[in-house]
Amino acid sequence: MSAAVSAKRDFIFANTRLLVPPLVPELRLWLADEAVPMWKKTEEELGEMGLPPPFWAFAWAGGQALARYVLDNPALVRGKRVLDFASGSGLVAIAAALAGAASVEGSDIDAFAVAAIEANSAENRAAVTARLEDLTGADEGWDVALAGDVSYERDMAEAVTNWLAGLAQRGATVLIGDPQRTYLALDRLESVAEYGVPVTRELEDSEIKRTGVFRFPRPRDRSRST
């Protein structure tokens, strides 16, 4: 482990604690209790201001719903190559690994997230490969692509939606977990499940967030409906 990675992991251990996501009690993750203090500590650690929120430090509603769905429907990932895009804490990736996926990658553009994915995977004895890169537009042959909470910013949501739709078009199973944020492309998705996810009012506008799991139709799905 490099010194930089070790320092980020030490920061996570020093500023979070092991918590159980309410909708996914099978797992324990290194998470923060409060958003604003963690945000400030991250900025201080990096010596930068105006950083994006530390998404890796919280179990967001979409990720919890998607992880719950994967654990309850393990056949979706069993024996398959899985990508968890914008993995954050690694919650969804860990769920896929525990559900029996042949291999799981969790990607994120935040180095702290990569350290969190590694720490949380180890805590849950889950085999997950963490990748520090933006895989938008890539296709490495994944059988399943999972994405939680990726529709909160317009440009990102549009790019990610088009990319994921392309993966589905060539036959991958693509699932999104989201509490129907502003830029979720509902007109291109099918709902497969809905949950009431307990969340903190510091992060969301209610204590129970109605959150869906959605999928992009694959070509064979459309042919069956015609």
Side-chain angles (χ1 to χ4, degrees):
M1 181 186 301
S2 70
V5 172
S6 179
K8 288 178 172 58
R9 181 172 290 198
D10 290 344
F11 175 85
I12 290 170
F13 291 154
N15 293 284
T16 64
R17 62 191 180 101
L18 283 172
L19 297 173
V20 174
L23 201 66
V24 197
E26 299 94 326
L27 307 185
R28 298 201 310 167
L29 304 175
W30 292 97
L31 301 173
D33 290 302
E34 299 178 281
V36 174
M38 172 57 72
W39 200 341
K40 291 180 178 178
K41 287 177 181 178
T42 304
E43 291 181 330
E44 291 169 0
E45 178 74 9
L46 295 176
E48 297 180 42
M49 300 300 291
L51 294 175
F55 294 110
W56 57 268
F58 303 95
W60 295 83
Q64 288 196 59
L66 190 50
R68 179 75 272 151
Y69 187 75
V70 168
L71 287 170
D72 290 345
N73 298 274
L76 288 167
V77 299
R78 186 181 296 124
K80 298 178 180 178
R81 292 186 60 207
V82 177
L83 171 68
D84 176 27
F85 175 76
S87 189
S89 67
L91 167 59
V92 177
I94 292 166
L98 296 180
S103 67
V104 182
E105 295 175 304
S107 70
D108 207 287
I109 59 173
D110 185 339
F112 279 104
V114 169
I117 294 166
E118 293 176 346
N120 288 325
S121 297
E123 177 64 32
N124 292 278
R125 299 182 180 182
V128 176
T129 300
R131 297 180 62 173
L132 179 61
E133 56 187 305
D134 182 1
L135 290 174
T136 306
D139 187 351
E140 298 181 9
W142 302 288
D143 303 304
V144 181
L146 307 171
D149 301 285
V150 294
S151 301
Y152 54 85
E153 194 272 329
R154 184 178 61 186
D155 291 343
M156 173 189 176
E158 182 177 353
V160 170
T161 297
N162 290 335
W163 166 55
L164 293 176
L167 295 181
Q169 179 66 27
R170 64 95 167 137
T173 297
V174 179
L175 296 171
I176 290 178
D178 200 277
Q180 297 194 26
R181 300 190 194 280
T182 302
Y183 300 111
L184 180 67
L186 284 171
D187 60 326
R188 303 176 68 178
L189 297 166
E190 298 175 348
S191 175
V192 297
E194 185 174 271
Y195 303 91
V197 184
V199 291
T200 172
R201 288 296 295 268
E202 193 175 16
L203 298 175
E204 303 286 3
D205 56 6
S206 62
E207 293 181 352
I208 302 294
K209 195 75 173 173
R210 299 306 303 177
T211 305
V213 175
F214 306 88
R215 71 169 185 170
F216 285 93
R218 294 172 296 182
R220 62 176 175 269
D221 297 326
R222 286 192 291 269
S223 65
R224 289 173 185 165
S225 64
T226 57

